[in-house]
Amino acid sequence: MPANSSGPSVKKKGRRARLIVLVMVLALLAGLGYGAYWSVDGVRASYPQTTGSLKLPGLTGTVDVKRDEHGIPQLYADNDEDLFRAQGFVHAQDRFWEMDVRRHMTSGRLSEMFGSGQVETDAFLRTLGWRQVAQAEYDTKLSPETKKYLQAYADGVNAYLKGKSGKDLSVEHAALKLTGDYTPEPWTPVDSVAWLKAMAWDLRGNMQDEIDRSLMAGKLTPQQIDDLYPPYPFDRNKPIVEGGSVAGGKYTPQGTAAAGATGTGATGTGTGTGSTGGTGTGTGTTTGSQATPNGGITTGLADNASAQGASVGLRTQLSSLAKTLDEIPAILGPNGSGIGSNSWVVAGKYTTTGKPLLANDPHLSPQLPSVWYQMGLHCRAASPRCQYDVAGFTFSGMPGVVIGHNADIAWGMTNLGADVTDLYLEQIKPDGYVYDNKVVPFTTREEEIKVAGGKSKRITVRTTNNGPLISDRSDELATVGSRAPVSGSAPDRGDGYGVALRWTALDPGKSMDAVFKLDRAKDFAAFRAAARDFEVPSQNLIYADNKGLNGNIGYQAPGRIPIRGAGDGRMPAPGWDPKYAWKGGKDGTTGYVPQDEMPYDLNPARGYIVTANQAVTESGTAAGKYPYVLTTDWGYGARSQRINDLIEAKTKDNGKISTDDMRTMQMDNSSEIAALLTPMLAKIPVSDPDVRSAQKLLEDWNYTQEPDSAAAAYFNAVWRNILKRAFGDKMPKELRVTSSCMNVQDSGNGPADDLADVVRECGTRGADSAQPDGGDRWFEVVRRLVKDEKSPWWTSPGTVREKATTTRDELFARAMKDARWELTAKLGKDQSTWSWGRLHQLTLKNQTIGTEGPGFMRWLLNRGPWNLGGGEATVNATGWNASSGYGVTWVPSMRMVVNLNDLDKSRWINLTGASGHAYNAHYTDQTTLWAKGELLDWPFGKAAVDKATVDTLTLKP
């Protein structure tokens, strides 16, 4: 769940005079060389009032805001609208800079704050049209009740803003005020709805994989690409639900299906043409209308594609798109293997409390402040006018609680990872685009991008029946020309192909309704009803309640999942061919997997449910398998199976799981890939005494990645170098990290031994999305190859000092040597001083000006570093990208354990703190506790909240 920031990075490319002035002004505001006045008045002026009383226009009664020692607020009101009006006010008190930047991002208006450097980003976001979709949702889809709540929330934000500007809002707003005439405009309900579009973008599924496979096709064979995208290991890693079936238009979990009931879903046929010189054109059956070819990786162009594979033109086009995607600000984090989460729930019969325990920790990008804001929303007395008694993790800028519990149920989320995006190649003509042998006019709209300190820019957004033409935002994407990989049966090449994006989140939906329904649900039926409206992003929703003797546990897979015609969504499709359109068109009512047929579970016999981005269920046409393909790009189950194993080990022989056991599981640092490879590495003969001394670190290691572990540091360095030698150096430059440079033969310019044709080629991919990233897909790749000691993947060219490798052990030996000297350079020659935490550090960065300012600005706005344990695809998922280094790139952004027997004994922690104000006491007051795996008390009942309260603010009409 709920990939980078509470606001976007200001890119180096556009960091002109305005950013320089902002940096200088922030330095003044922080008191660097200009006395205490700016330090106190400029920084503290925006701190929230947390005691006494304030008038909040629009209230019909008083609202109490009770904050504990960490500044976490619990709100008490007498009606729903007062509650959400106060929530908007309190969010704005602590986080308005974050909210303001976020709404400019979602509407494609960053240039109004940060100047010309954000014009390209704004243009892309305007092309996607998040703001237009959010407006359509508000106008046509959301319930009157939801609109009422959204308006009350906006009124609360605007009550806070009234009469404030500059330093009264934040130190960052003070800087903007002094560098221009920027004044925040009033908040609107659509500003809140648009946040869901950003959340959906970061959790959009396999779009990056679709691009990467296409780019790989320029250098790798279909079999090689298959090697790097192996099938999910159902034989080893359990899916979320097992054995359910679909019959009569309904999904039935295992154990409750009628005798003989089997899955009956849409079936079809699809063809796939092997890419990159592939010769086999495979046919395959379609499960849920998604073809799985047998003849190599399909290009997505199917029978219209050239059997000789992707051309340079298509590679250039997709590389440009990948670069554009890298530059789009990610609210939640990089859209890679780290985006996900852990959640699990254990039935009361297996817990020490006798009622369920539920844990959740979403893995997102580290950011400052954290994307989450802890809060309780309480009605003083339940009534038809006041329906909420809920606490948990909220998003600043949006009313309600996203993850948490009320008095009756608890719920958590992880990213389901459904394939909800497709890229379509479009044949462009002067009068439109080609579809079904006809030229269809574009739907167009004009957009004006206002630029702080500069001239406005106007763009035209063109949309096809497959979605917006995102290639219009790049000259490189628009000039593919004659090199596009199509045969004579394709339309005339003209000036080249455009690229359109089909994405479920660009159709108006009702996800905002779902948030409020979840917050007030009292049983599993109401929970499932709420999930029906949670259309995007598609999430795994887990459930627990306190009903009956032992309570209930459950799971629901919601989301708008497309049913495709031809093609399987793994590669770009031909937009001109109606066979590849999503079934049912864009009316939002057909063409998607029916919600009644989405998988769910209730009180499974095993007594627990684990979701950690693994496969939801096994699809197929055989009896007992799920009839729709939700995606083929699941996480590979390393984390989920480890959690399964930990639960089973704890509950065997009638053992019971406690709240503290759940916390301990969240901090599990065991490495699956280390357990596989370390015994092999320990047996490799090593003659170099320095490398041998490092190898000895692995001999008694238990594969846990504690921050003080020298063995973990060395193993992860070896793993990184294995990946580089075996796979990274064989990747096309479009997937390699920018710092990865190598000599390659310049094809087509002479004989292979002509040294003049050797050129220096550097990678072009950003650090967060470069490959191989080392996630659990790469665990599975290596697991499948490691038994073949002479696989071609183990070959690596020699150098002046090193022989070429041709076998697994030769490459492993070379990786061990490379790792030894890499760590010597980074940590010193004395390996007794090595530790994983020294390599694997977390630095929290203010995600606007603080990311690219000079050193003193980083000192002012950023915090850290913290030395962390854990690692990639461990339960304690402090992820890192093996292509670019060891620094932490995603984290458990919060952790919670809900005790359904006694909600006041639930526990929670946030990555940073409640405040977004840089020098406030609650800016990062939870981070060190979070790094140690500690949890805070989570009071819920009135008596517990009162006992924990240190500040009370009364909001009055």
Side-chain angles (χ1 to χ4, degrees), residues 137-154:
E137 288 185 357
Y138 184 80
D139 292 341
T140 66
K141 292 291 186 178
L142 300 182
S143 70
E145 183 179 56
T146 294
K147 291 182 179 182
K148 181 174 63 176
Y149 296 158
L150 287 165
Q151 186 61 59
Y153 182 90

Side-chain angles (χ1 to χ4, degrees), residues 618-914:
E618 189 168 6
S619 302
T621 55
K625 292 190 177 182
Y626 188 64
Y628 301 102
V629 174
L630 303 179
T631 185
T632 57
D633 289 310
W634 305 109
Y636 281 77
R639 285 180 285 110
S640 62
Q641 193 56 44
R642 176 63 178 172
I643 297 168
N644 279 316
D645 292 344
L646 290 170
I647 293 173
E648 291 178 2
K650 191 68 181 180
T651 57
K652 70 178 181 180
D653 300 325
N654 297 316
K656 304 286 186 180
I657 292 178
S658 68
T659 301
D660 198 55
D661 290 330
M662 300 285 275
R663 183 199 66 81
T664 300
M665 292 178 191
Q666 288 179 325
M667 294 302 295
D668 183 78
N669 288 329
S670 178
S671 170
E672 178 188 278
I673 193 64
L676 174 68
L677 296 184
T678 298
M680 300 179 191
L681 296 171
K683 294 178 181 178
I684 293 176
V686 174
S687 57
D688 186 313
D690 290 314
V691 179
R692 173 59 185 145
S693 67
Q695 183 186 38
K696 288 181 179 179
L697 293 172
L698 303 178
E699 292 178 355
D700 298 317
W701 183 42
N702 62 357
Y703 319 131
T704 60
Q705 301 169 102
E706 300 300 330
D708 62 354
S709 172
Y714 182 60
F715 172 80
N716 282 315
V718 174
W719 170 236
R720 180 174 184 244
N721 280 280
I722 287 173
L723 291 171
K724 178 183 184 299
R725 295 291 183 186
F727 309 105
D729 290 348
K730 299 178 179 69
M731 291 284 174
K733 66 179 181 180
E734 295 88 354
L735 271 69
R736 299 201 316 271
V737 71
T738 53
S739 60
S740 171
C741 298
M742 55 195 301
N743 295 326
V744 298
Q745 190 75 30
D746 187 12
S747 60
N749 294 323
D753 58 353
D754 185 352
L755 294 180
D757 290 331
V758 174
V759 298
R760 189 70 170 165
E761 179 189 84
C762 295
T764 62
R765 182 63 66 87
D768 287 340
S769 58
Q771 294 294 335
D773 61 20
D776 67 353
R777 173 165 68 88
W778 293 99
F779 290 11
E780 190 63 20
V781 168
V782 171
R783 181 186 298 278
R784 289 170 172 267
L785 293 173
V786 77
K787 293 182 180 179
D788 182 359
E789 297 185 25
K790 296 184 179 180
S791 167
W793 288 108
W794 305 129
T795 62
S796 180
T799 67
V800 175
R801 296 185 178 90
E802 301 284 350
K803 294 181 180 180
T805 68
T806 59
T807 68
R808 180 198 68 195
D809 285 356
E810 287 176 352
L811 187 139
F812 281 13
R814 185 164 174 180
M816 291 170 68
K817 183 176 181 179
D818 291 344
R820 176 40 160 133
W821 299 117
E822 181 185 3
L823 293 195
T824 297
K826 292 180 181 296
L827 302 179
K829 187 173 183 180
D830 182 0
Q831 64 191 40
S832 69
T833 67
W834 292 0
S835 71
W836 175 226
R838 287 180 62 200
L839 279 179
H840 191 54
Q841 293 186 325
L842 167 67
T843 297
L844 293 173
K845 296 180 180 180
N846 178 289
Q847 291 298 313
T848 50
I849 302 167
T851 57
E852 300 210 11
F856 69 86
M857 284 307 305
R858 292 194 293 270
W859 175 77
L860 287 171
L861 296 176
N862 302 340
R863 300 293 182 268
W866 285 267
N867 295 349
L868 299 186
E872 186 62 52
T874 62
V875 180
N876 182 21
T878 56
W880 54 287
N881 188 307
S883 288
S884 54
Y886 304 96
V888 176
T889 56
W890 40 72
V891 294
S893 57
M894 65 81 160
R895 298 186 185 100
M896 74 175 193
V897 178
V898 182
N899 181 337
L900 273 298
N901 182 61
D902 186 346
L903 293 170
D904 289 331
K905 292 182 179 178
S906 300
R907 309 272 287 166
W908 60 355
I909 196 78
N910 202 352
L911 174 64
T912 60

Side-chain angles (χ1 to χ4, degrees), residues 307-590:
Q308 294 183 350
S311 72
V312 174
L314 180 59
R315 295 202 308 275
T316 301
Q317 187 179 48
L318 291 171
S319 178
S320 179
L321 175 58
K323 183 178 179 181
T324 300
L325 296 179
D326 272 348
E327 293 175 347
I328 299 304
I331 288 291
L332 301 178
N335 190 264
S337 63
I339 290 294
S341 306
N342 298 322
S343 71
W344 65 93
V345 59
V346 182
K349 64 183 293 187
Y350 295 111
T351 69
T352 58
T353 67
K355 291 290 176 68
L357 294 172
L358 184 150
N360 195 189
D361 54 281
H363 305 156
L364 309 173
S365 177
Q367 52 203 272
L368 185 60
S370 167
V371 70
W372 300 110
Y373 185 98
Q374 296 147 292
M375 181 178 274
L377 302 172
H378 307 279
C379 289
R380 293 191 180 99
S383 72
R385 295 180 63 246
C386 206
Q387 307 170 75
Y388 294 89
D389 188 18
V390 60
F393 293 86
T394 71
F395 289 139
S396 302
M398 198 177 90
V401 169
V402 178
I403 294 174
H405 70 82
N406 58 33
D408 300 288
I409 76 165
W411 68 95
M413 297 185 189
T414 64
N415 193 21
L416 192 148
D419 187 356
V420 295
T421 61
D422 278 340
L423 296 175
Y424 284 90
L425 297 182
E426 301 287 0
Q427 175 67 25
I428 308 301
K429 294 289 186 178
D431 299 326
Y433 61 97
V434 176
Y435 184 73
D436 198 16
N437 296 315
K438 299 176 183 176
V439 176
V440 181
F442 290 106
T443 300
T444 63
R445 69 176 188 273
E446 298 294 318
E447 295 277 355
E448 181 182 10
I449 300 172
K450 297 180 181 180
V451 181
K455 293 182 179 180
S456 297
K457 179 178 179 179
R458 299 191 67 86
I459 64 170
T460 299
V461 176
R462 300 188 292 177
T463 302
T464 75
N465 62 335
N466 291 312
L469 201 66
I470 57 178
S471 54
D472 278 352
R473 304 286 70 88
S474 167
D475 293 339
E476 202 171 16
L477 282 168
T479 56
V480 180
S482 62
R483 295 184 294 180
V486 291
S487 64
S489 61
D492 178 47
R493 290 177 175 83
D495 292 327
Y497 292 114
V499 179
L501 172 65
R502 184 78 166 95
W503 178 31
T504 56
L506 297 184
D507 298 333
K510 299 185 291 184
S511 293
M512 198 69 239
D513 283 347
V515 173
F516 296 113
K517 289 182 179 180
L518 280 173
D519 285 359
R520 60 176 184 259
K522 295 185 179 300
D523 55 32
F524 191 59
F527 168 80
R528 292 192 68 206
R532 294 178 71 90
D533 289 338
F534 210 102
E535 296 167 325
V536 292
S538 184
Q539 298 291 288
N540 296 305
L541 295 177
I542 62 165
Y543 168 92
D545 68 34
N546 52 21
K547 312 299 183 185
L549 179 62
N550 294 123
N552 299 287
I553 65 172
Y555 164 83
Q556 177 67 56
R560 187 186 288 162
I561 316 298
I563 297 175
R564 293 170 172 82
D568 62 5
R570 287 170 56 86
M571 293 274 191
W576 53 82
D577 191 338
K579 291 187 300 183
Y580 290 86
W582 290 2
K583 292 189 174 182
K586 298 185 67 173
D587 61 7
T589 59
T590 59

Side-chain angles (χ1 to χ4, degrees), residues 584-602:
K586 298 185 67 173
D587 61 7
T589 59
T590 59
Y592 302 104
V593 177
Q595 287 298 300
D596 284 341
E597 298 183 26
M598 290 290 284
Y600 78 95
D601 214 345
L602 179 64

